[in-house]
Amino acid sequence: GGYMQSSQDFKSPSSENKKKFSGRAQALVPLTSALIQSLTPADDYFLLEGKEFNQGVLVGEIMEVNEAATSITYKVDDRTGPWVEVRKWMDDQESQEDTEMRSSCREGVYVRVVGQLRSFNKVRYLMGFQIRPIEDFNEVTHHLAEVLHAYLSLSKGPTVPEQFKNLQQLTPGGAGGVAGAGWSGPMATSTQIPGNSRPMYSGAGGGAGMSSGLTHAQQQVLNTISSCMMDQGMNIHELIKTLGSHGHSEKVVRGTVEYLCNEGHIYSTIDEDHFKSTET
């Protein structure tokens, strides 16, 4: 009863032709199975309340694991709809930490999946960038709250209590980080649970985890973006200026940013010139 993948559908990242970065919103959208099934497909992306996106975060329990020579497929259940299939490529040069994390993602374990939402033969699935076990069940509750917050913010618009309206101009992106029709705030999912000082990603801000296998230049760009603590993320012009002092040209920086976006290490926030790391 397993999914019979075709070589055309499950392309290797090294052989797949990368599309030019078009400025499409690449924020991480908090998802549930029910929400995934209700989305409107459009070319190589999906629409949620009229907003384009193709990357998201899902939290659920692994019900089935199928390993092949070069890939691994998970079926994840979040109890809101049918199981969601998550596919991930095996990395020949993965670190010991990555190997241990992959080994811990077995049946019966709740996981947090960061990936790109795709569709093949009308079956929707996630191409996983990062899959890690949930360490605190509060993350499950927190994720569901993020899904509701994101959906309501898009469908009804952000609402600000009267006593906080004077603070709107003092916070990046306005109330809750939602800048007009932008994709910041609830779309760029929080990586820390309120009241919990432990980051949800191990190695947050240090470029660990997902960053294995990057070149020195790519790691420098990722680390610089990860070090930015502002809600809207690192501005591309500031990034170019900072890395220019290390001998990296604007062309190299922009090309590296595009690569890191395509690989799921970073995502755009309020516009196509601001970026945050998926690990911070």
Side-chain angles (χ1 to χ4, degrees):
Y3 177 84
M4 298 300 293
Q5 66 193 39
S6 70
S7 58
Q8 182 178 9
D9 171 49
F10 212 156
K11 295 178 181 177
S12 166
S14 60
S15 64
E16 187 177 38
N17 292 326
K18 298 294 185 182
K19 296 184 178 179
K20 291 294 184 182
F21 179 60
S22 62
R24 177 178 300 144
Q26 296 190 20
L28 297 177
V29 180
L31 298 170
T32 64
S33 172
L35 187 57
I36 289 174
Q37 304 309 316
S38 69
L39 296 172
T40 303
D43 295 328
D44 61 341
Y45 58 92
F46 293 83
L47 295 174
L48 175 61
E49 293 295 317
K51 294 293 183 180
E52 301 177 6
F53 80 98
N54 64 0
Q55 296 187 117
V57 180
L58 177 72
V59 172
E61 180 184 1
I62 296 178
M63 307 303 292
E64 187 177 310
V65 180
N66 294 300
E67 290 194 31
T70 58
S71 62
I72 183 168
T73 302
Y74 304 89
K75 289 187 177 179
V76 178
D77 184 11
D78 70 353
R79 310 299 196 271
T80 69
W83 295 357
V84 178
E85 193 166 275
V86 178
R87 310 174 193 172
K88 193 175 190 304
W89 282 102
M90 306 275 272
D91 187 352
D92 293 335
Q93 300 178 340
E94 70 179 4
S95 65
Q96 181 65 30
E97 180 184 1
D98 290 337
T99 300
E100 292 174 357
M101 184 172 294
R102 175 167 57 82
S103 299
S104 64
C105 294
R106 314 310 300 176
E107 289 90 344
V109 174
Y110 272 80
V111 291
R112 180 182 177 88
V113 179
V114 178
Q116 185 179 73
L117 186 60
R118 297 184 181 181
S119 178
F120 181 73
N121 284 344
K122 298 183 179 180
V123 176
R124 299 176 182 187
Y125 65 94
L126 282 169
M127 183 61 73
F129 299 142
Q130 185 189 62
I131 303 172
R132 65 160 185 83
I134 292 293
E135 298 177 7
D136 185 334
F137 203 76
N138 285 328
E139 294 183 34
V140 178
T141 306
H142 184 249
H143 175 76
L144 293 175
E146 282 189 321
V147 172
L148 291 172
H149 184 198
Y151 181 78
L152 290 174
S153 293
L154 281 178
S155 60
K156 300 182 180 300
T159 57
V160 184
E162 189 67 34
Q163 68 265 36
F164 297 134
K165 287 187 176 179
N166 290 335
L167 300 177
Q168 263 189 284
Q169 301 303 318
L170 302 180
T171 58
V178 180
W183 274 81
S184 56
M187 295 297 96
T189 63
S190 171
T191 56
Q192 192 164 349
I193 302 172
N196 187 348
S197 61
R198 177 181 56 78
M200 292 172 71
Y201 285 116
S202 60
M210 284 176 60
S211 55
S212 59
L214 297 180
T215 66
H216 178 67
Q218 290 164 354
Q219 190 67 66
Q220 274 195 308
V221 173
L222 179 58
N223 287 347
T224 304
I225 293 174
S226 298
S227 68
C228 181
M229 295 294 104
M230 292 187 290
D231 288 348
Q232 69 267 40
M234 172 71 76
N235 182 284
I236 185 68
H237 303 294
E238 184 64 29
L239 183 65
I240 291 169
K241 180 180 178 182
T242 300
L243 293 175
S245 61
H246 294 279
H248 299 299
S249 66
E250 178 176 348
K251 181 178 180 180
V252 168
V253 173
R254 288 186 179 275
T256 302
V257 166
E258 180 180 336
Y259 171 82
L260 293 174
C261 277
N262 287 334
E263 294 299 315
H265 295 291
I266 63 175
Y267 59 92
S268 60
T269 57
I270 58 175
D271 56 35
E272 62 184 51
D273 288 332
H274 289 80
F275 299 89
K276 291 195 77 171
S277 167
T278 57
E279 297 188 32
T280 58

